[in-house]
């Protein structure tokens, strides 16, 4: 099991809040012009794998043992 200080865990919670905010901003459909047609695109789809990797670590940090 991993260990983390109280201060480190507080910083992880700041990262989680930032990720939540970024998700809300990126999870939108935008339209780009391609010649004479517009194509829809979900921006979040391009960074989904990275978000999942980071959020997995953030979630797991809740199970880490606190060091004194």
């Amino acid at each position: 099991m991993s260990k983390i200080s109280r201060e480190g865990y507080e910083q992880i919670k700041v990262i989680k809040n930032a990720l939540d905010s970024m998700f809300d901003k990126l999870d939108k459909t935008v339209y780009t012009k391609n010649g004479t047609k517009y194509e829809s695109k979900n921006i979040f789809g391009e960074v989904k794998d990275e978000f999942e990797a980071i959020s997995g670590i953030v979630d797991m940090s809740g199970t880490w043992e606190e060091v004194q």
Side-chain angles (χ1 to χ4, degrees):
M1 174 181 284
S2 297
K3 297 183 180 189
I4 191 168
S5 69
R6 169 72 58 198
E7 294 82 14
Y9 185 65
E10 293 301 319
Q11 291 300 311
I12 294 283
K13 291 193 317 190
V14 169
I15 292 169
K16 180 190 181 308
N17 291 336
L19 285 172
D20 289 344
S21 177
M22 289 169 52
F23 173 80
D24 291 341
K25 292 173 184 171
L26 289 173
D27 193 31
K28 298 189 185 322
T29 301
V30 297
Y31 296 90
T32 56
K33 191 170 185 177
N34 185 5
T36 59
K37 297 184 344 182
Y38 285 90
E39 297 177 352
S40 65
K41 185 178 197 179
N42 184 296
I43 299 171
F44 180 72
E46 295 189 18
V47 294
K48 181 180 179 193
D49 292 340
E50 291 85 349
F51 261 78
E52 287 177 350
I54 296 168
S55 67
I57 294 168
V58 169
D59 284 342
M60 194 173 25
S61 71
T63 66
W64 295 348
E65 184 180 328
E66 182 180 341
V67 294
Q68 303 295 325

